[in-house]
Amino acid sequence: MPRPELEALQLRRLGRLVGRELGSLDELQSLPFTRKEDLRDGYPLGRLVVPREQIRRLHASSGTTGKPTVVPYTRSDLDLFATVVARCLAAAGAQPGMTLHNAYGYGLFTGGLGFHDGGERLGLAVVPVSGGMTERQLTLISDLRPDVIACTPSYALTLAQAFSERGIAPEEISLTIAMLGAEPWTEAMRREIDANLGVRAVNVYGLSEIIGPGVSSECSEERSGLHVNEDHFLPEVVDAESGEPVAEGDRGVLVLTTLTKEAFPLVRYWTGDITSLDRSPCSCGRTLVRMSPPAGRADDMLIVRGVNVYPSQVEAILLELPELTPYYRIVIARTGTLDEATVEIETSEAGAELQARAERLLLQTIGCTIAVELRAPGTLPRSEGGKLSRVDDRRRT
Ligand SMILES: [Zn+2]
């Protein structure tokens, strides 16, 4: 859809959502943000705006503190969910008739059922394997020969490594497309997954409060920024402190408004994810705005000796060194009043020189001292199918 037409559609839908006619999309900025705490206050279904009999499914997001956020869906919301995930699959190159190995967790988490419905909607055969039991995953992939896999990026690495340990080369694996999301990851990790699983991996973004996966995803043509399905989810990027919109291309917090959801519409939802927007045309032909891969959630951000540090940033820096692997963990401890940050990272080429080079690179790029400890391959925790926690913050205990 040409952008002027798309923006007219957004304006009509936004007017319907807020119950009055609007002159321009900028009027959205006069409305307050909705924050995670607001949703928590309404637990479990205080914000439901349709009769309860119209709910067809309930998902819940894992709350790091206290109760989860419960998200209800009507028939039409589930239809929208399947549609946007089907779009993501198509943008990644999936076609009707292909088979999808769905290794996202099935359950309250939106990843499993979201990709399940989206895959069926596009006309794929879906294998609902869910996360975990890596051995069984390898058997199913070898025997059913799926074209597409959906899972977290850290689990894609686990699978790639398991294949390699069994002597199966990337070109022998039937997969060609990987739909990866639910945790921040880097270009270095993508190169690793592409090469070792023999796929073209794309980034998929979403959050259950908004719908689940399918808010945005990369096209296989460019893989440079995630096209937001903005006819349904209107994005803004604002300054984390002032809440004012930032200039196009500048980084800030992603704020989303659902334009077509029924049971649980959200106006200006503060996602906490750090991104930037790019409205320049894309070679794939889509006119949908592109968001940069979220650099991490504002609340995932670590403050080490007063410096803001994102785990994904540490990963991106260290993986510039080809000797290091994407298996790492950040440990933060407090000695007296000082924070001590240490990155434990696996490599088969341990040595004092490599360690010093890694520490120097972190200091130069981030601006604070982070110690690096080299570990033997296979010694750090692996993803078992769910999200992998990269940070062990011992200051809180
Ligand atoms: Zn594109």
Side-chain angles (χ1 to χ4, degrees):
M1 189 180 275
R3 283 218 61 94
E5 227 174 285
L6 174 61
E7 282 160 25
L9 175 70
Q10 290 174 322
L11 190 60
R12 266 199 316 278
R13 288 180 167 175
L14 182 61
R16 205 157 55 207
L17 174 72
V18 301
R20 65 186 160 91
E21 216 159 289
L22 299 171
S24 90
L25 289 170
D26 292 343
E27 287 182 42
L28 183 60
Q29 288 160 22
S30 64
L31 299 173
F33 296 113
T34 308
R35 292 175 187 269
K36 186 101 183 164
E37 305 85 86
D38 300 323
L39 306 190
R40 218 172 278 147
D41 293 344
Y43 179 85
L45 288 169
R47 299 178 66 95
L48 183 67
V49 297
V50 298
R52 181 143 182 179
E53 311 83 77
Q54 290 184 18
I55 302 178
R56 291 294 173 272
R57 193 191 296 168
L58 295 154
H59 278 288
S61 72
S62 48
T64 42
T65 50
K67 297 245 165 90
T69 303
V70 175
V71 187
Y73 298 71
T74 63
R75 185 68 259 159
S76 146
D77 292 335
L78 290 174
D79 195 55
L80 166 65
F81 193 8
T83 300
V84 291
V85 174
R87 274 191 200 174
C88 296
L89 284 159
Q95 289 172 10
M98 286 183 168
T99 296
L100 166 65
H101 182 92
N102 188 9
Y104 275 118
Y106 279 64
L108 287 174
F109 171 59
T110 46
L113 284 168
F115 267 95
H116 188 101
D117 289 351
E120 287 188 354
R121 174 63 54 91
L122 185 63
L124 309 184
V126 182
V127 184
V129 62
S130 198
M133 299 179 73
T134 302
E135 199 58 45
R136 187 179 63 175
Q137 308 255 358
L138 297 192
T139 305
L140 286 170
I141 293 171
S142 300
D143 295 351
L144 298 178
R145 305 198 58 75
D147 312 273
V148 187
I149 185 168
C151 62
T152 59
S154 55
Y155 197 54
L157 275 180
T158 298
L159 291 172
Q161 198 185 16
F163 272 118
S164 142
E165 282 164 8
R166 283 157 191 75
I168 299 171
E171 54 276 14
E172 297 174 65
I173 305 168
S174 62
L175 299 167
T176 55
I177 299 166
M179 311 290 301
L180 310 182
E183 56 190 22
W185 52 306
T186 58
E187 285 304 318
M189 207 158 146
R190 166 149 48 201
R191 284 195 291 276
E192 188 109 355
I193 293 166
D194 279 0
N196 297 331
L197 217 47
V199 293
R200 201 162 158 77
V202 302
N203 206 338
V204 183
Y205 169 80
L207 59 169
S208 56
E209 297 93 311
I210 296 299
I211 192 117
V215 171
S216 65
S217 72
E218 290 170 331
C219 55
S220 81
E221 287 87 346
E222 290 289 331
R223 296 199 298 179
S224 165
L226 294 79
H227 288 286
V228 181
N229 284 312
E230 57 174 322
D231 47 338
H232 298 290
F233 315 114
L234 184 64
E236 299 170 81
V237 172
V238 303
D239 183 86
E241 300 295 322
S242 70
E244 292 299 316
V246 300
E248 179 161 331
D250 285 357
R251 274 155 58 112
V253 175
L254 178 67
V255 170
L256 290 166
T257 298
T258 64
L259 294 176
T260 51
K261 267 178 77 187
E262 286 184 345
F264 197 71
L266 287 175
V267 175
R268 306 197 84 199
Y269 184 64
W270 186 277
T271 67
D273 287 319
I274 307 292
T275 188
S276 61
L277 294 180
D278 175 6
R279 289 192 170 76
S280 66
C282 184
S283 73
C284 73
R286 286 176 186 79
T287 53
L288 301 168
V289 65
R290 280 178 284 172
M291 57 181 265
S292 62
R297 220 150 254 204
D299 34 331
D300 281 348
M301 187 182 77
L302 299 165
I303 301 179
V304 180
R305 300 191 186 188
V307 177
N308 299 349
V309 180
Y310 291 99
S312 55
Q313 181 190 17
V314 171
E315 176 186 320
I317 294 165
L318 289 180
L319 293 189
E320 293 299 313
L321 301 176
E323 300 94 327
L324 299 178
T325 69
Y327 302 101
Y328 70 97
R329 175 170 64 182
I330 302 173
V331 179
I332 315 276
R334 182 162 288 162
T335 318
T337 55
L338 271 188
D339 296 334
E340 304 279 357
T342 306
V343 189
E344 301 168 349
I345 188 161
E346 291 182 9
T347 173
S348 48
E349 295 175 48
E353 188 275 331
L354 175 60
Q355 180 183 350
R357 199 146 39 96
E359 287 178 347
R360 207 161 49 236
L361 203 55
L362 285 174
L363 178 61
Q364 283 165 355
T365 322
I366 298 180
C368 81
T369 300
I370 298 177
V372 173
E373 284 181 14
L374 304 178
R375 294 269 188 267
T379 52
L380 291 176
R382 294 286 193 272
S383 166
E384 294 297 328
K387 298 186 193 191
L388 180 63
S389 174
R390 299 288 203 176
V391 178
D392 182 0
D393 194 340
R394 298 176 186 165
R395 289 175 298 187
R396 294 177 195 134
T397 52

